[in-house]
Amino acid sequence: MPSESKSRVIVATRGPVASVQLTNPPLNVIDIPMMHELTKGLAEIESRPDISVIIFEGDSRAFSAGVDIKAHLPDQVQEMLTSFHSVIRTIVASRKITIAAVRGACLGGGAELAAVCDLVYTARDATWGFPEIKLGCYPPVAAVALPALVGQKRACELILTGRQISGDEAVAIGLASRSVVAEELSSSVQETVAEIQALSPSALALAKKSIYAWDAIHFDKGLARAEKIYLEELIQTEDAREGIAAFLEKRPPQWTGR
């Protein structure tokens, strides 16, 4: 099986299936270099008409624990948001069928990346969550995408409390497609891939385009708005700076409401 190994992403192809593995131990944190590698790898996959399925995965410990906290600092935050949202927009706009295979920690930006895939298969004991609010921040992609996926009230609970949930609960609320024991995750994904491979790639692409025709318009506009609020308002607050600093300094944050 031909493969391309990079510092933080491994892209491998077998027939019409491309596997994109996040490899940034110990928890596959998505830093800016990984974002650039993902953007390049996805562009290469998208240019190949022989590929119809993309599988995103991490390892047994973590799909991804989220975006690098250091990248939220003022000197990096604009590049971070632009780069990460470019990856998200590429996944959302892809003509390929995208599948997330989730084990272990699936948090913050990692959960956002998984959530925007077409199909999401999760280990029952995986840990899902959007903990950004505990750092004095919020997850822009989740803020836009979650209400359509799980409903406004559930989206508010996840985003405004940072509560973590299991893979089983992620399925129950509509955040994931199916949950299985971790040992059966790969076989479950492969069963679905086999079903997809028997179908017309062009019909699949057009069916996907139709499914997202309305939501895609609102997602793109909503993400641009959420990004603008994040950069022009949130990151200017004392609490956002305090939350990030407290995390990096391993101490409780001292909120001021400013």
Side-chain angles (χ1 to χ4, degrees):
M1 178 169 62
S3 66
E4 182 179 358
S5 180
K6 301 178 181 179
S7 59
R8 292 166 175 81
V9 176
I10 296 175
V11 177
T13 59
R14 174 179 289 172
V17 180
S19 170
V20 178
Q21 184 176 11
L22 310 183
T23 56
N24 190 18
L27 294 173
N28 295 326
V29 165
I30 304 171
D31 56 14
I32 291 174
M34 181 189 279
M35 295 172 195
H36 294 330
E37 291 177 16
L38 283 168
T39 296
K40 181 179 178 181
L42 290 173
E44 292 170 356
I45 292 170
E46 204 64 30
S47 71
R48 292 183 53 177
D50 59 311
I51 294 176
S52 57
V53 178
I54 308 173
I55 301 172
F56 293 91
E57 57 188 333
D59 54 39
S60 60
R61 186 172 180 181
F63 179 80
S64 171
V67 171
D68 184 14
I69 300 300
K70 293 179 181 177
H72 291 71
L73 293 170
D75 62 332
Q76 299 182 60
V77 66
Q78 183 156 2
E79 180 184 3
M80 179 274 289
L81 279 185
T82 300
S83 299
F84 183 60
H85 291 172
S86 176
V87 173
I88 295 297
R89 286 186 169 98
T90 298
I91 295 171
V92 170
S94 177
R95 288 176 54 85
K96 320 298 184 183
I97 304 303
T98 55
I99 302 174
V102 175
R103 299 177 181 84
C106 185
L107 304 171
E112 289 178 315
L113 191 156
V116 299
C117 289
D118 301 317
L119 301 171
V120 182
Y121 292 81
T122 177
R124 298 183 65 179
D125 61 356
T127 303
W128 288 75
F130 303 89
E132 286 87 344
I133 200 70
K134 296 180 180 180
L135 303 179
C137 300
Y138 68 85
V141 174
V144 177
L146 277 193
L149 291 173
V150 306
Q152 188 182 69
K153 300 309 178 188
R154 284 171 172 161
C156 282
E157 181 184 22
L158 290 172
I159 294 169
L160 299 181
T161 70
R163 184 172 74 86
Q164 296 183 1
I165 62 175
S166 68
D168 280 343
E169 189 170 353
V171 172
I173 66 175
L175 184 55
S177 310
R178 185 187 306 174
S179 61
V180 297
V181 294
E183 294 77 14
E184 296 177 2
L185 185 62
S186 293
S187 60
S188 294
V189 170
Q190 291 307 315
E191 286 174 7
T192 296
V193 168
E195 293 175 2
I196 292 172
Q197 284 182 264
L199 304 172
S200 159
S202 58
L204 287 167
L206 291 172
K208 175 176 171 175
K209 183 178 181 180
S210 296
I211 290 169
Y212 295 121
W214 182 250
D215 286 342
I217 296 171
H218 293 277
F219 177 80
D220 195 53
K221 290 182 178 178
L223 186 56
R225 176 64 175 162
E227 185 176 314
K228 180 180 174 67
I229 293 170
Y230 197 104
L231 290 173
E232 295 183 3
E233 299 181 47
L234 176 78
I235 211 63
Q236 306 302 321
T237 66
E238 292 179 14
D239 277 356
R241 293 192 291 271
E242 166 63 11
I244 295 164
F247 179 89
L248 295 175
E249 295 167 12
K250 297 180 171 57
R251 60 173 174 81
Q254 301 296 317
W255 307 122
T256 64
R258 296 193 296 270

